[in-house]
Structures are given as structure tokens and as C-alpha cells.
Amino acid sequence: MLKKIIFGFSVLIAIIILFTFYVQEVIKEQKINSIMDQLSITLENKLENHKMDDLKTAIALSKNEAIVNALENDDEDLGYILLSDILSTIELNTDIHIRAQIITKELNIFTRSWDDIYAGMPIGDYRTDLDYFKVHKTPRSSIEIGRRLGIKATVPVYKEGEFLGFVEVISFFKSMTEFFSTLGVDLYVLLDFKHMDSAVLMTQNLTIGENVVANRNYNYSHVQTLKDIDFNILKQNGMIYKDNKYIFYENMYDGSSEVIGGFVFVLPERYLDYFRNPDDDISFLINVTRSSLYDVVKKNKYANSVYDAYSANSLLYFQDVIDKEDRQIFLDEAYSKFDKYSKDELIQIMLNRKIVKKIDGRIK
């Protein structure tokens, strides 16, 4: 009898242990998926802000009368003095380093802020993205391939209706790489090797598989791991676990919505506990405001609804920042999601949200 009792307890303990491990793995998987989602949102947020900041500067430079006159008069020396002086003043007072160049309507370099030795050099052969302006007059800011891969904010310059050329602000993912590094996440910006005919200044960059690393301040300690993984599987699944590291992948698109490479994030497992649980806060990964998260979500073009990818509980974090014109769509989507919850589940959601005001009526 005693043996049966001991055996029964042993089986019960084994079941409890197995169930505990199972629950822990499920929670861990949910956390990994949430981190992957947050990395995607954060990346898009940072890219969008970066593009808009660069575009603001490019537009301001394109409206500088002295610069426009120098471009009109083909005075390259004056153009360099004006451009470099403006950006040096910005850096002196804000500690923000900006690289800008002016391009003639013939697609030759007029001047660049960081040197004055390439004036007159043609760039049309490797700047096919400028073909966009053959049919558009509006500025744009996007990831583009030039002699290097970077974010390029390009503004066409007109004077009295006459097209003179372009003002362009360029950046190279340095600040983004540093930002993710502060979170314990290492970023690698990869350009598909088939585009190397244009990116001539990246021929000496590190290669990983059929990709070239575009950012120069990457963490070298993960390179061997990245060289050992199957990128086809990584692209298909969005995540791979190898060498005690979680590796995430996001496609990279140029201004024509063509996939030209990808963003790879490496998160060592030892840093996993630094992130809060996924049900704590939709913005648990970084200090992104709910408003900026909503702006990112709104820009995505889903096939059915902008809110399809978000749970009812997640929508609670957008309720205070919805634009008036979008509010009805938001409410319709939220109501349809909450209709699927039971009374007890709705009460639990309210308790977790710490709603303290008195509620009259019944939850049906």
C-alpha cells in the first residue's frame, strides 16, 4: 500500500513538474513573440522619425535663398561655403551631425557638406531612385541605395517654376544601431548582395551569406553566429534561436516598396529577463508614447483593418490618442473584439486597467 502511495505521489509530482515546465515555456514563447512584435514597431517608429527629421532639414535647406541662387548660378564654391556653414552651426549648437548634398538637374554633385572635392561628379548611374522625380514634384524620404545604403531625404529645388536640382540629407543608421544597443539588442542592417553594383563604397564591408552589412558600428561578437544560420529559414519564420541568442528578422524596403535587404536583431538570452512580461504594457520594450505607437499603427496598410493585428486588450492603449476622424472605425473594431469576451474576462480586464470610477449598469 505504501509503495502505491509513494508511486502515486511520484507520478503526481512528475506531472506537476512537467506542467510547470510547459507553462514556463509557453510564457517564454509568448514573451519572445511580444519582443519580436515590439522590435518591429520600434524599428518602424525610429525609421519614420529619422526620415521625417532628415526631411525637415532638407526642406529648410531647399528654401534657403542664398543656396538656391548659388545653384542657379552654378557657383559651386559658394554653395559649399553656405551649406557647410549652416550644418556646422547646427552641429555646434545641437551636437547633431548632418550630412547634406546638393545635386544639379543633370544629376551631378553640385556640393557636399563634408568635402568640396567631388563637385561635378555624375551620380545618375547609381542613383536610379532619382527617377522618381521624373514624374513627381513632391519631396520624399526613404531608404535608398547610392554608393552606400542609407536614409535619403530628397527635395527638388525650384525657382520661379524652373527646376534647378535637389537638396538631400543623408544618414547611415548609426544612431539607430546605438539606440538598440542600449536595450541589449544588436542591430545589423543587411543589403542584398545583388545590389552591390550600385553600392560601390560598400565593397569592403563585412559580408554575411548573400548580404553586406551596411551599418559600420555593429557588434562583431555575433557575426559568426549570423554566418552559421540559414537566412532562408530566418526570413520565413522571422526568428531563430542559436548559440543562446534570439535572432529576429525584418524586411527592408526602399522608396519603391522593393525588398532590398533586411534588419537583423540579435538578443542574447541572458538579457531576456530585462524585458517585462508582454501583458504588462504594449510598450514594454522602450519608452515609446502611446501616441507615437498609434501613429505607426495607422501608417501600416493591412488588407482589412489597421487594427486586425492587435488584441482587444492592446487596443486599450490607443483609446486616448485616436484621431477624431478615425474614432468610429476604432470603436467598431474594439467593440467587435470585446464582444468575444465573457463577463468574467471583461471584469478582469477592467481590474488590470485599474479603473476606479463607479460603473452603473450590467456587463452583458
Side-chain angles (χ1 to χ4, degrees), residues 331-349:
L331 290 174
D332 290 343
E333 183 68 23
Y335 289 151
S336 67
K337 289 182 180 292
F338 279 112
D339 280 344
K340 300 175 184 179
Y341 284 74
S342 68
K343 175 181 176 180
D344 291 339
E345 289 172 331
L346 289 172
I347 292 174
Q348 188 60 45
I349 289 174

Side-chain angles (χ1 to χ4, degrees), residues 66-67 69-70 73 75-84 110-111:
I67 289 179
N69 289 337
N73 297 323
D75 192 337
E76 297 168 347
D77 293 336
L78 178 59
Y80 171 72
I81 293 172
L82 293 170
L83 185 62
S84 59
F110 176 70
T111 189

Side-chain angles (χ1 to χ4, degrees), residues 212-229:
V212 180
V213 181
N215 54 329
R216 294 179 175 176
N217 54 330
Y218 58 86
N219 185 345
Y220 192 81
S221 63
H222 305 307
V223 169
Q224 191 56 53
T225 298
L226 294 177
K227 287 187 174 183
D228 290 340
I229 66 175

Side-chain angles (χ1 to χ4, degrees), residues 310-343:
Y310 295 88
S311 67
N313 201 24
S314 296
L315 291 180
L316 291 174
Y317 293 91
F318 296 140
Q319 62 180 332
D320 299 325
V321 295
I322 302 297
D323 293 340
K324 290 182 179 179
E325 59 270 24
D326 297 331
R327 192 160 189 80
Q328 190 57 51
I329 298 175
F330 168 80
L331 290 174
D332 290 343
E333 183 68 23
Y335 289 151
S336 67
K337 289 182 180 292
F338 279 112
D339 280 344
K340 300 175 184 179
Y341 284 74
S342 68
K343 175 181 176 180

Side-chain angles (χ1 to χ4, degrees), residues 57-159:
T57 304
I59 291 174
L61 292 173
S62 73
K63 298 300 181 182
N64 184 287
E65 185 176 357
I67 289 179
V68 173
N69 289 337
L71 178 59
E72 181 185 30
N73 297 323
D74 198 28
D75 192 337
E76 297 168 347
D77 293 336
L78 178 59
Y80 171 72
I81 293 172
L82 293 170
L83 185 62
S84 59
D85 182 62
I86 291 172
L87 299 188
S88 294
T89 302
I90 291 175
E91 183 173 6
L92 179 64
N93 290 279
T94 66
D95 200 31
I96 299 174
H97 179 68
I98 299 173
R99 296 166 66 97
Q101 66 181 9
I102 301 174
I103 304 168
T104 68
K105 61 183 177 182
E106 294 84 14
L107 303 187
N108 299 325
I109 291 179
F110 176 70
T111 189
R112 304 191 301 188
S113 62
W114 61 95
D115 64 52
D116 60 350
I117 60 176
Y118 287 100
M121 185 180 76
I123 62 172
D125 289 344
Y126 56 86
R127 287 299 305 277
T128 56
D129 58 290
L130 293 176
D131 291 342
Y132 167 88
F133 294 99
K134 291 180 180 179
V135 293
H136 299 87
K137 293 185 177 181
T138 55
R140 80 168 180 176
S141 187
S142 55
I143 298 174
E144 299 294 347
I145 305 168
R147 295 193 299 167
R148 286 177 61 187
L149 178 72
I151 298 173
K152 296 178 173 63
T154 309
V155 180
V157 179
Y158 292 87
K159 183 176 182 180

